[in-house]
Amino acid sequence: EAKNLLPYLGPNKMRDCFCTINLDQEEVYRTQVVEKSLSPFFSEEFYFEIPRTFQYLSFYVYDKSVLQRDLRIGKVAIKKEDLCNHSGKETWFSLQPVDSNSEVQGKVHLELKLNELITDNGTVCQQLVVHIKACHGLPLINGQSCDPYATVSLVGPSRNDQKKTKVKKKTSNPQFNEIFYFEVTRSSSYTRKSQFQVEEEDIEKLEIRIDLWNNGNLVQDVFLGEIKVPVNVLRNDTSHQAWYLLQPKDNGNKSSKTDDLGSLRLNICYTEDYVLPSEYYGPLKTLLLKSPGVQPISASAAYILSEICRDKNDAVLPLVRLLLRHDKLVPFATAVAELDLKDTQEANTIFRGNSLATRCLDEMMKIVGRHYLKVTLKPILDEICESSKSCEIDPIRLKEGDNVENNKENLRYYVDKLFSTIVKSSMSCPTVMCDIFSSLRQMATQRFPNDPHVQYSAVSSFVFLRFFAVAVVSPHTFHLRPHHPDAQTIRTLTLISKTIQTLGSWGSLSKSKSSFKETFMCEFFKMFQEEGYITAVKKFLDEISSTETKESSGTSEPVHLKEGEMYKRAQGRTRIGKKNFKKRWFCLTSRELTYHKQPGKDAIYTIPVKNILAVEKLEESSFNKKNMFQVIHTEKPLYVQANNCVEANEWIDVLCRVSRCNQNRLSFYHPSAYLNGNWLCCQETSENTLGCKPCTAGVPADIQIDIDEDRETERIYSLFTLNMLKLQKMEEACGTIAVYQGPQKEPDDYSNFVIEDSVTTFKTIQQIKSVTEKLSEPHEKYRKKRSSSAKYGSKENPIVGKAS
């Protein structure tokens, strides 16, 4: 959320605001627009893999403009190195002003030399040679690569000589390779001062300044960053060569108080892991996969991990994926749910808390239920979002001219349609979900044998409350819609979600009373308190929690995997400027990749998935465009440009996954395009020449859910290492309980831990410590190698030059 944003001057002080998330200056996500507020509450969550190196994670607050360009109110830029300090914390950041002098990214490769020259009159002077070699990672200007050039200046107390490189067209990684010469002198060079001579220079006070600019042609040039290198770096050396990070210009005398712009509240979780080769993870993986069989479950490695993590979600994400990958999630989730039930005193509060069991099931449903949500909800959600019928039934919120009876009818139509689809969808429900629901149902009946409804509420509290209702209210987070719905649609979805949630809540239906606080919702809900709805919910819950094997669902229907807007290069035409790239709507299912002029229109072009031979990145130099990739198939390669690096990475990832078992996959590919009769990468003239570079994506085994188990195990190793002190405390607590048969120490030491069997728990903790210590050795070797290999001043570890 943001607060105290700068108001408009004039009577209407409110703004329509949205935020963007950027890697340096490349936008990767944006929030919905919050209208007419100076303290907008966004409450949105984004999770993404970072596919490239970056300097800053930045957040920009914009004021939405209908006619002009959106206005940037301010930004929060957090250095990559500082992300760890903010990780897992909620912080208010002051918004900083945004101007072109502060919008800087990229690095410069520079070489300096000092030569001695004898001048015509016999004196010795020094000549400074500045070789500006290249730049890397300059920003995009208006979404396109810039036209950069550099000015090279020798600055001192009595001089400012400036020279300039050529302009490099349409590139973010220009190769300048230009050399400039400056004459400099040391004070010792002069034997006698003539009154006509300029004050002699002290070489110690000179510095080289390099400014990067984007050539604006007809408009003003845009500043891209600067570096300053004192000439005295050559004091002990005849030459100095290094990469430098570009720095922003000081904002001069602008006395802009940063408090004036307002502030932004962020909760950032940033993790960075180095994943070792598979063979290192065997012992830890084995220990974790034994967890479902450990008696009691609270003494297992997986349960102990959740006990020592401050935020249980940190542990749940990798655990669920690893256990799912090895078909161990159902027994583990069942065992931890049983532990939950022991503490549940009343049947109507069953699985309502935020425990390890409920979090595991939430995460599992997100992973395995994505396709289920798509086939069930997507068609109706598309209709709701695109028809924009008013469904407001709150008398206070009604707009002038609204007819509440019409709105009620609209809302009832949508709820009925959605409800009917859900209760008929049991055949599409993934087997893993059905297996767990079946276990929950049996355990609930055993725990509360006198309550005939509990077997249903145990299942409905997950499938309706935590699955369907959540997906309806925020379809974009489940990839059911490409963009955020507008404010009116969000309100409609909220009302539908509330009703569906209550319809599915077995307690509300069976006891014929709704849980609504609002009178208007209670009135509306009376329409649904009929026997037909109760029967339909009961039948649906019976079907998804029965242990009978279902027919394999989804084999006949193609699975919808990803869609979105991108640019593609016209197939088989000559290269004529920008017109060669067209904006298209891409859609990928498990059967085919298609693109369309607009969403919902007929496909212009289709590539069957079985015809995809490779999916690889495309070198920027091919078309001077960033974020490009190629889909190599049985016809000509399809060249596509995504909107940002995260999106490009996601498309490459999902396309590789869906085509990885194709029989004729290529082993080699061309990293550049075939243009004007030859491949730009290897200069071969035949279009059918074998590729010159090995393909990056290997061909892993056919995995139903694509999970990188080494990566998940590495994450768990990191969590054990991070929480080693808590693990030791738990170990001490086990010892105390075992020796004294009860808490003899202060209760604080272990009252937070669940320890049912101190001896078994103690043994598991010792095993965890042992495998973690063994894994620490190769990590330590890697850290040493990394710190020694990336020399300060190298491209991987550039020098942070001083700013003005």
Side-chain angles (χ1 to χ4, degrees):
E1 65 172 320
K3 68 177 179 188
N4 306 330
L5 298 180
L6 212 55
Y8 270 127
L9 301 170
N12 179 18
K13 295 186 168 14
M14 296 296 149
R15 295 179 181 273
D16 297 345
C17 300
F18 66 91
C19 283
T20 66
I21 301 175
N22 297 48
L23 289 175
D24 297 320
Q25 286 150 65
E26 183 181 8
E27 183 187 318
V28 290
Y29 286 108
R30 67 170 57 193
T31 67
Q32 64 197 21
V33 177
V34 175
E35 294 178 345
K36 297 183 176 51
S37 174
L38 295 178
S39 295
F41 186 74
F42 300 103
S43 187
E44 291 192 48
E45 206 169 277
F46 300 92
Y47 170 86
F48 60 102
E49 304 284 324
I50 297 178
R52 62 171 178 82
T53 54
F54 66 103
Q55 274 178 263
Y56 289 92
L57 180 66
S58 304
F59 302 83
Y60 290 80
V61 179
Y62 280 85
D63 183 8
K64 182 82 182 154
S65 172
V66 181
L67 301 172
Q68 299 163 306
R69 279 181 68 185
D70 299 327
L71 174 75
R72 291 192 289 194
I73 299 171
K75 71 170 180 180
V76 170
I78 304 166
K79 268 192 175 164
K80 184 188 173 191
E81 304 82 76
D82 300 336
L83 278 170
C84 309
N85 308 334
H86 300 292
S87 187
K89 297 174 193 163
E90 219 166 75
T91 317
W92 279 102
F93 295 90
S94 292
L95 288 173
Q96 302 299 320
V98 182
D99 63 8
S100 59
N101 290 343
S102 68
E103 296 294 274
V104 165
Q105 69 179 62
K107 45 198 165 189
V108 183
H109 193 193
L110 193 66
E111 185 178 15
L112 302 179
K113 281 184 185 167
L114 212 49
N115 295 338
E116 288 207 338
L117 291 181
I118 298 176
T119 58
D120 296 342
N121 62 3
T123 56
V124 176
C125 91
Q126 305 259 326
Q127 183 187 52
L128 180 67
V129 183
V130 180
H131 182 183
I132 176 162
K133 296 188 168 187
C135 288
H136 187 82
L138 297 178
L140 300 177
I141 306 287
N142 301 331
Q144 296 298 322
S145 294
C146 51
D147 295 343
Y149 69 89
T151 59
V152 182
S153 314
L154 180 66
V155 183
S158 56
R159 69 191 280 178
N160 187 351
D161 298 353
Q162 191 178 81
K163 301 180 182 192
K164 185 178 156 185
T165 68
K166 294 187 176 88
V167 175
K168 298 289 176 184
K169 290 284 185 190
K170 296 278 171 286
T171 175
S172 297
N173 305 315
Q175 300 289 323
F176 290 112
N177 266 325
E178 292 193 41
I179 298 174
F180 301 98
Y181 300 93
F182 298 93
E183 282 196 10
V184 294
T185 54
R186 292 191 185 280
S187 12
S188 59
S189 311
Y190 289 104
T191 46
R192 175 176 157 274
K193 230 186 346 179
S194 139
Q195 60 189 44
F196 300 113
Q197 279 179 323
V198 181
E199 185 72 37
E200 74 260 33
E201 291 170 319
D202 184 347
I203 201 163
E204 303 294 315
K205 292 176 186 169
L206 293 175
E207 64 181 9
I208 283 291
R209 195 178 85 204
I210 294 182
D211 292 82
L212 263 290
W213 298 87
N214 177 50
N215 182 33
N217 291 326
L218 303 172
V219 292
Q220 195 177 357
D221 292 357
V222 177
F223 174 78
L224 300 177
E226 66 170 28
I227 61 162
K228 293 181 172 186
V229 185
V231 174
N232 66 13
V233 295
L234 293 164
R235 199 181 309 129
N236 306 320
D237 237 329
T238 51
S239 78
H240 166 79
Q241 183 176 192
W243 283 87
Y244 283 84
L245 276 182
L246 284 165
Q247 297 296 313
K249 250 192 203 150
D250 196 62
N251 283 337
N253 302 322
K254 286 184 190 170
S255 58
S256 165
K257 288 184 189 164
T258 50
D259 302 344
D260 294 350
L261 300 174
S263 32
L264 189 64
R265 181 161 69 107
L266 301 168
N267 187 346
I268 301 163
C269 294
Y270 174 73
T271 53
E272 193 175 295
D273 291 318
Y274 174 71
V275 185
L276 299 165
S278 297
E279 58 266 25
Y280 288 98
Y281 295 111
L284 178 56
K285 216 181 288 180
T286 307
L287 184 61
L288 290 160
L289 294 174
K290 274 183 192 165
S291 294
V294 173
Q295 293 284 342
I297 194 69
S298 59
S300 68
Y303 195 93
I304 290 168
L305 176 69
S306 74
E307 281 288 277
I308 61 171
C309 285
R310 191 166 61 96
D311 184 349
K312 270 193 171 53
N313 278 346
D314 289 347
V316 165
L317 291 164
L319 261 182
V320 167
R321 288 176 192 156
L322 185 67
L323 293 170
L324 252 181
R325 173 74 183 79
H326 289 272
D327 297 327
K328 300 276 187 184
L329 185 65
V330 176
F332 179 74
T334 305
V336 290
E338 202 164 2
L339 204 57
D340 251 20
L341 281 170
K342 279 185 191 171
D343 296 334
T344 308
Q345 301 309 317
E346 291 182 43
N348 61 354
T349 61
I350 195 164
F351 300 127
R352 287 297 173 94
N354 218 354
S355 63
L356 176 62
T358 56
R359 288 181 193 204
C360 279
L361 264 75
D362 282 351
E363 191 53 35
M364 175 275 292
M365 290 191 297
K366 271 186 202 163
I367 297 170
V368 303
R370 190 173 278 187
H371 173 234
Y372 180 29
L373 284 176
K374 273 198 168 139
V375 296
T376 312
L377 301 184
K378 190 171 176 8
I380 302 159
L381 289 173
D382 286 344
E383 183 187 332
I384 295 166
C385 295
E386 282 153 27
S387 69
S388 66
K389 285 180 186 172
S390 176
C391 294
E392 186 54 76
I393 57 171
D394 181 353
I396 299 166
R397 287 172 175 250
L398 285 173
K399 290 179 185 162
E400 209 175 315
D402 268 3
N403 181 324
V404 73
E405 288 307 314
N406 283 354
N407 291 3
K408 206 175 275 188
E409 274 310 304
N410 291 342
L411 186 58
R412 170 147 199 189
Y413 165 76
Y414 285 144
V415 170
D416 267 335
K417 195 166 181 181
L418 204 62
F419 176 78
S420 161
T421 312
I422 290 171
V423 294
K424 289 175 186 164
S425 69
S426 61
M427 287 311 290
S428 305
C429 186
T431 314
V432 180
M433 282 170 68
C434 295
D435 290 348
I436 287 187
F437 293 154
S438 172
S439 302
L440 294 179
R441 187 174 170 174
Q442 287 168 16
M443 288 189 298
T445 312
Q446 285 163 9
R447 176 75 179 86
F448 299 103
N450 301 325
D451 189 326
H453 301 305
V454 76
Q455 57 172 322
Y456 294 114
S457 51
V459 178
S460 69
S461 61
F462 284 103
V463 76
F464 278 100
L465 272 68
R466 292 171 173 267
F467 187 58
F468 285 123
V470 181
V472 168
V473 84
S474 56
H476 52 281
T477 55
F478 287 86
H479 302 286
L480 299 172
R481 290 288 299 165
H483 305 295
H484 302 283
D486 57 54
Q488 182 184 311
T489 310
I490 286 173
R491 176 66 183 155
T492 300
L493 293 173
T494 305
L495 293 170
I496 295 169
S497 176
K498 278 182 172 191
T499 316
I500 290 289
Q501 189 171 321
T502 314
L503 266 173
S505 170
W506 187 254
S508 303
L509 280 177
S510 56
K511 298 183 180 71
S512 293
K513 64 171 191 186
S514 71
S515 55
F516 291 116
K517 297 181 183 75
E518 308 101 323
T519 320
F520 65 89
M521 283 305 288
C522 290
E523 284 302 308
F524 176 67
F525 194 69
K526 281 178 186 169
M527 295 179 173
F528 300 94
Q529 285 173 324
E530 296 169 9
E531 194 59 39
Y533 289 100
I534 298 177
T535 313
V537 172
K538 185 169 180 261
K539 182 173 178 285
F540 171 67
L541 294 174
D542 277 335
E543 286 167 357
I544 61 167
S545 59
S546 69
T547 45
E548 294 164 31
T549 53
K550 302 196 287 105
E551 294 169 36
S552 163
S553 66
T555 45
S556 56
E557 275 295 304
V559 182
H560 184 101
L561 297 169
K562 190 167 174 59
E563 62 183 334
E565 204 168 59
M566 294 188 288
Y567 290 85
K568 63 101 204 163
R569 183 175 181 248
Q571 293 277 307
R573 291 199 201 153
T574 53
R575 184 180 173 191
I576 313 166
K578 288 182 186 172
K579 286 181 183 169
N580 226 6
F581 278 84
K582 300 246 170 57
K583 193 187 277 188
R584 292 288 180 257
W585 186 264
F586 282 77
C587 188
L588 175 68
T589 70
S590 51
R591 284 203 197 140
E592 58 192 26
L593 172 69
T594 53
Y595 58 77
H596 316 246
K597 278 199 170 168
Q598 282 165 344
K601 298 273 193 226
D602 289 341
I604 304 174
Y605 192 72
T606 301
I607 303 171
V609 161
K610 64 176 192 292
N611 291 355
I612 296 177
L613 308 176
V615 183
E616 297 286 348
K617 286 182 177 173
L618 188 71
E619 282 180 0
E620 189 187 321
S621 54
S622 299
F623 300 103
N624 282 327
K625 287 180 186 294
K626 276 184 169 301
N627 306 320
M628 286 204 69
F629 64 92
Q630 50 182 325
V631 182
I632 305 164
H633 57 113
T634 43
E635 293 175 40
K636 290 195 168 194
L638 175 67
Y639 298 134
V640 184
Q641 184 187 25
N643 294 311
N644 58 59
C645 61
V646 171
E647 199 182 285
N649 209 48
E650 286 174 358
W651 273 103
I652 294 170
D653 197 44
V654 71
L655 281 161
C656 284
R657 253 187 287 157
V658 76
S659 63
R660 71 175 157 233
C661 297
N662 289 354
Q663 284 184 328
N664 300 321
R665 277 190 68 97
L666 297 178
S667 306
F668 290 87
Y669 77 106
H670 291 284
S672 280
Y674 182 77
L675 290 176
N676 306 328
N678 68 315
W679 291 101
L680 298 179
C681 39
C682 56
Q683 306 305 313
E684 287 287 340
T685 51
S686 166
E687 202 167 347
N688 302 320
T689 310
L690 185 70
C692 54
K693 197 174 176 184
C695 286
T696 52
V699 186
D702 189 10
I703 306 162
Q704 259 190 325
I705 298 160
D706 194 61
I707 289 168
D708 183 343
E709 53 183 306
D710 293 338
R711 184 177 179 167
E712 304 307 339
T713 316
E714 170 59 35
R715 187 86 288 273
I716 292 168
Y717 157 77
S718 299
L719 290 168
F720 275 133
T721 312
L722 206 64
N723 295 288
M724 193 49 80
L725 281 174
K726 272 197 181 171
L727 197 65
Q728 282 162 351
K729 268 197 171 177
M730 200 174 185
E731 187 180 32
E732 286 165 22
C734 289
T736 307
I737 293 168
V739 172
Y740 297 107
Q741 297 301 306
Q744 298 292 311
K745 284 189 171 187
E746 289 295 309
D748 281 0
D749 276 1
Y750 51 85
S751 57
N752 299 329
F753 301 128
V754 175
I755 302 173
E756 293 177 288
D757 179 334
S758 57
V759 177
T760 315
T761 308
F762 185 82
K763 279 181 185 166
T764 308
I765 291 172
Q766 295 222 300
Q767 288 173 304
I768 292 168
K769 284 171 73 177
S770 165
V771 295
T772 308
E773 274 166 33
K774 276 189 188 139
L775 249 180
S776 295
E777 291 166 22
H779 280 90
E780 199 47 51
K781 271 185 192 166
Y782 165 72
R783 264 191 289 276
K784 280 180 183 164
K785 184 183 164 195
R786 187 177 172 185
S787 57
S788 60
S789 63
K791 185 178 152 216
Y792 191 49
S794 66
K795 193 172 181 179
E796 296 72 36
N797 187 12
I799 294 168
V800 181
K802 61 175 182 171
S804 4

